[in-house]
C-alpha cells in the first residue's frame, strides 16, 4: 500500500487525511465481481460503508447495485449512476419523506423491517398510483459470532421481522394491493469471519422461502445481506477477502429454485482495506507509567476503535521507512522493519474525551513529533463516520491516482 514514494508524497501534505489505494480497490472489486458472477449472483454495494464519490464511481463502474439505508443514500446512488433497478432500500426507520423519494426514484425494492412499515409504504405508494416492490427483512435468529455491537440477526435486535410475526406479515400483504412482494431479505451482522455462520443462515433462508411459498407467495429474490469480514490484523498479506469461499457457501447450501435471483449486500469487504487514515504525531508525552503519542487525528476522523472497541493496525510510516532505507542500503535481503526493541505507547487523538484513544500499549519504534502514522483498514465505516465535534476541520481525502 505504501512505498517510499507514497511516504515522500505524504510528507508534503497537511494531515490528517484518508489515503485511498485505488488500485487495491479495483483488485478487490474485480475479485468480488468474478467470484459472484460464476454463480450468477447479484451484489449490491452497502453504501453506508463508504460514500466517498471516487469510491462510488469505481464501484458503479463494475456494475454493482446499491444497498441504501437512507433517502439521501438512495439519491446518491442515483446521482452516481447506479442502475435504479439495482437499488434497494433498508432501514428500521424510513421516514415518509424518504419513502416518497424512493418511490419517485423507482428503485428496485424496499427491504421492509416491520408490519407497520408495510402499511405506510402501501398507503404512500397508493397515493402516487404506484406499486412498490418489497422484500421482507426477516430476523432469522442466527448468531453471527461477531462483536455484540455489530450483531443484527438475533431476536433481541431492533432489525427485521421475527419469525413468529410472519403470519401477520402474510395477512397484511394480502390486504395491501399497492405492494408487490418480491422476496425475503436477511442481514445478520458485520465483520463475520466464520463462514459456518453463513451456512446456518442458508439453512434458515431455505426454511423461510418454503414458508412463503406454502402460504402462496412466490419468492423471486433471496437477499442474504452482507457482513463478510476483513483481516484487520494483516492488512498487507491478506488484503482481499475470500470472496470465492464466501460465495461458494451459498452455492452449496442455498436452495435456489429456477428463476430465482440471489442478492448480496457487501459493504466492508469491498472497501475496508483500500484506505488508511494518515496522521502526524503532534506530541510525545511521557508519563510515569505510560508513554502517549498524541496524533493530529482522533475520534472525529475515525471512531471505530472508540465506538466498537475495534482493532485497527497502527504503523509509524516515518520510522519504518527509515529502517527500510537503511537496511536496503546495507544490502541485507529482507530488512526487519524494526531493528531495536520497540516501545509501548498509548496512541491517542486530540479530542477532549478520555475515550479518544486509538489503542493502548501499541508496540512501535521510538516515535517523534512529526512522524507520519497510518491507521490501516480504514476504508469501511471510517471517513463516513467523521464528525465535526470540537468544531474540527472536515477530514480530507487523498488518492493514489
Ligand atoms: C450495513 C448493512 C450491510 C453491509 O454490512 P457489511 O458488514 O459492511 O458488509 C448490508 N445490508 C444491510 C441491510 C446493512 O444495514
Amino acid at each position: 500500500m505504501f512505498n517510499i514514494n507514497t511516504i515522500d508524497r505524504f510528507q508534503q501534505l497537511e494531515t490528517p487525511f484518508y489515503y485511498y489505494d485505488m488500485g487495491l480497490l479495483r483488485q478487490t472489486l474485480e475479485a468480488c465481481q468474478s467470484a459472484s458472477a460464476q454463480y450468477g449472483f447479484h451484489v449490491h454495494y452497502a453504501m453506508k460503508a463508504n460514500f466517498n464519490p471516487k469510491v462510488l464511481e469505481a464501484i458503479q463502474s463494475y456494475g454493482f447495485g446499491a444497498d441504501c439505508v437512507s433517502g439521501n443514500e438512495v439519491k446518491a446512488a442515483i446521482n452516481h449512476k447506479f442502475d435504479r433497478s439495482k437499488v434497494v432500500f433498508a432501514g428500521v426507520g424510513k421516514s415518509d419523506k424518504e419513502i416518497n423519494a424512493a418511490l419517485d426514484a423507482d428503485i428496485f425494492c424496499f427491504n421492509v423491517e416491520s408490519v407497520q412499515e408495510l402499511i405506510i409504504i402501501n398507503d404512500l405508494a397508493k397515493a402516487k398510483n404506484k406499486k412498490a416492490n418489497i422484500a421482507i427483512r426477516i430476523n432469522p435468529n442466527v448468531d453471527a459470532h461477531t462483536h455484540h455491537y455489530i450483531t443484527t440477526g438475533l431476536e433481541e435486535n431492533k432489525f427485521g421481522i421475527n419469525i413468529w410475526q410472519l403470519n401477520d406479515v402474510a395477512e397484511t400483504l394480502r390486504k395491501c394491493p399497492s405492494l408487490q412482494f418480491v422476496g425475503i431479505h436477511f442481514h445478520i451482522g458485520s465483520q463475520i469471519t466464520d463462514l459456518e455462520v453463513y451456512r446456518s443462515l442458508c439453512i434458515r433462508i431455505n426454511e423461510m422461502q418454503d414458508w412463503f411459498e406454502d402460504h402462496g407467495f412466490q419468492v423471486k429474490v433471496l437477499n442474504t445481506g452482507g457482513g463478510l469480514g476483513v483481516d484487520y490484523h494483516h492488512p498487507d498479506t491478506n488484503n482481499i477477502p475470500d470472496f470465492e469461499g464466501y460465495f461458494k457457501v451459498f452455492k452449496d447450501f442455498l436452495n435456489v429454485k429456477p428463476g430465482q435471483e440471489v442478492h448480496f449486500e457487501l459493504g466492508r469487504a469491498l472497501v475496508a482495506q483500500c484506505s488508511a487514515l494518515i496522521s502526524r504525531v503532534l506530541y510525545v508525552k511521557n508519563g510515569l507509567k505510560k508513554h502517549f503519542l498524541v496524533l493530529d487525528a482522533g475520534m472525529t476522523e475515525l471512531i471505530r476503535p472508540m465506538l466498537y472497541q475495534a482493532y485497527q493496525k497502527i504503523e509509524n510510516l516515518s520510522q519504518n521507512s527509515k529502517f527500510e532505507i537503511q537496511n536496503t542500503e546495507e544490502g541485507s535481503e529482507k530488512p526487519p522493519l524494526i531493528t531495536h526493541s520497540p516501545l509501548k505507547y498509548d496512541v491517542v487523538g486530540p479530542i477532549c474525551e478520555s475515550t479518544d484513544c486509538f489503542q493502548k500499549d501499541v508496540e512501535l519504534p521510538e516515535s517523534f513529533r512529526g512522524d507520519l502514522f497510518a491507521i490501516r483498514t480504514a476504508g469501511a465505516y471510517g471517513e463516513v463516520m467523521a464528525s465535526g465535534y470540537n468544531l474540527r476541520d472536515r477530514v480530507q481525502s487523498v488518492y493514489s491516482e
Side-chain angles (χ1 to χ4, degrees):
M1 187 153 187
F2 311 115
N3 56 34
I4 301 290
N5 293 334
T6 4
I7 295 167
D8 267 353
R9 185 180 162 209
F10 291 171
Q11 304 282 11
Q12 324 300 322
L13 300 171
E14 196 183 318
T15 46
F17 57 84
Y18 276 91
Y19 173 70
Y20 286 92
D21 182 336
M22 299 306 280
L24 178 56
L25 174 60
R26 281 195 303 270
Q27 277 178 38
T28 310
L29 296 171
E30 250 163 56
C32 178
Q33 169 67 276
S34 65
S36 58
Q38 64 187 321
Y39 306 124
F41 291 164
H42 302 254
V43 179
H44 297 126
Y45 167 59
M47 194 187 282
K48 73 174 186 288
N50 191 318
F51 42 72
N52 177 302
K54 286 220 178 207
V55 171
L56 289 184
E57 215 172 277
I59 293 173
Q60 184 276 340
S61 75
Y62 282 84
F64 291 96
D67 165 41
C68 305
V69 290
S70 75
N72 286 342
E73 284 192 4
V74 172
K75 272 186 215 158
I78 308 272
N79 288 343
H80 283 89
K81 305 198 164 53
F82 282 84
D83 194 336
R84 302 165 184 268
S85 66
K86 293 185 191 168
V87 173
V88 298
F89 184 13
V92 283
K94 302 177 189 80
S95 70
D96 294 19
K97 184 179 163 190
E98 291 176 311
I99 293 169
N100 277 323
L103 286 168
D104 291 339
D106 291 320
I107 62 165
F108 169 61
C109 185
F110 292 84
N111 291 332
V112 177
E113 311 223 7
S114 65
V115 173
Q116 294 86 329
E117 187 191 334
L118 281 176
I119 296 165
I120 298 299
I121 297 177
N122 181 64
D123 290 349
L124 296 175
K126 192 167 154 201
K128 290 182 183 293
N129 240 332
K130 287 196 169 187
K131 212 161 176 155
N133 279 348
I134 63 103
I136 299 296
R137 176 167 178 177
I138 299 172
N139 184 341
N141 209 15
V142 169
D143 190 346
H145 298 304
T146 183
H147 197 285
H148 64 276
Y149 286 2
I150 49 175
T151 294
T152 56
L154 289 175
E155 203 159 295
E156 66 209 53
N157 301 121
K158 69 176 176 180
F159 300 100
I161 296 174
N162 292 313
I163 292 168
W164 48 267
Q165 294 167 310
L166 290 183
N167 277 318
D168 205 3
V169 167
E171 218 171 283
T172 309
L173 284 175
R174 288 195 192 97
K175 286 190 292 206
C176 289
S178 300
L179 299 182
Q180 175 67 51
F181 172 85
V182 297
I184 49 180
H185 172 237
F186 301 81
H187 175 65
I188 55 173
S190 202
Q191 186 49 18
I192 297 168
T193 47
D194 176 4
L195 291 181
E196 277 292 304
V197 167
Y198 286 113
R199 203 178 89 147
S200 312
L201 175 64
C202 286
I203 291 163
R204 192 51 62 90
I205 296 176
N206 293 339
E207 292 167 9
M208 292 296 107
Q209 65 161 324
D210 288 347
W211 189 94
F212 275 91
E213 304 248 315
D214 290 348
H215 287 75
F217 294 94
Q218 196 197 347
V219 181
K220 282 187 234 150
V221 172
L222 303 175
N223 185 335
T224 72
L228 177 63
V230 299
D231 190 341
Y232 281 96
H233 289 267
H234 307 97
D236 289 310
T237 49
N238 191 12
N239 58 4
I240 297 184
D242 178 16
F243 294 114
E244 289 282 341
Y246 170 70
F247 289 118
K248 191 166 185 305
V249 173
F250 293 91
K251 163 72 186 157
D252 288 345
F253 296 101
L254 206 57
N255 179 14
V256 183
K257 297 175 182 157
Q260 261 181 347
E261 287 182 9
V262 185
H263 292 194
F264 295 84
E265 300 172 334
L266 293 176
R268 186 193 309 271
L270 295 177
V271 293
Q273 295 291 15
C274 76
S275 185
L277 177 63
I278 308 299
S279 174
R280 276 193 176 85
V281 176
L282 289 175
Y283 302 103
V284 184
K285 282 182 72 174
N286 293 318
L288 282 178
K289 291 187 193 147
K290 286 266 185 196
H291 302 298
F292 292 98
L293 291 179
V294 184
L295 302 186
D296 62 6
M299 62 193 282
T300 41
E301 285 68 45
L302 177 66
I303 202 175
R304 289 189 67 257
M306 301 80 179
L307 186 61
Y308 309 115
Q309 296 155 5
Y311 171 85
Q312 290 187 224
K313 194 169 184 211
I314 298 176
E315 293 170 350
N316 183 330
L317 296 180
S318 301
Q319 298 303 328
N320 286 354
S321 73
K322 264 184 220 162
F323 286 119
E324 243 169 273
I325 293 172
Q326 187 187 315
N327 286 315
T328 313
E329 279 169 355
E330 281 163 9
S332 70
E333 280 215 318
K334 200 160 174 44
L337 289 185
I338 298 165
T339 51
H340 59 75
S341 53
L343 297 172
K344 276 190 181 172
Y345 294 100
D346 283 11
V347 179
V348 303
I351 306 306
C352 297
E353 296 283 345
S354 292
T355 182
D356 186 32
C357 171
F358 287 109
Q359 207 180 306
K360 292 193 164 150
D361 295 322
V362 194
E363 286 202 353
L364 289 163
E366 189 176 5
S367 301
F368 303 91
R369 175 175 165 84
D371 281 355
L372 282 166
F373 268 61
I375 305 180
R376 303 292 304 274
T377 321
Y381 309 106
E383 190 183 357
V384 285
M385 285 196 183
S387 78
Y389 184 46
N390 286 196
L391 206 52
R392 299 267 293 169
D393 285 335
R394 224 199 108 70
V395 65
Q396 299 298 303
S397 322
V398 169
Y399 307 90
S400 58
E401 54 204 56

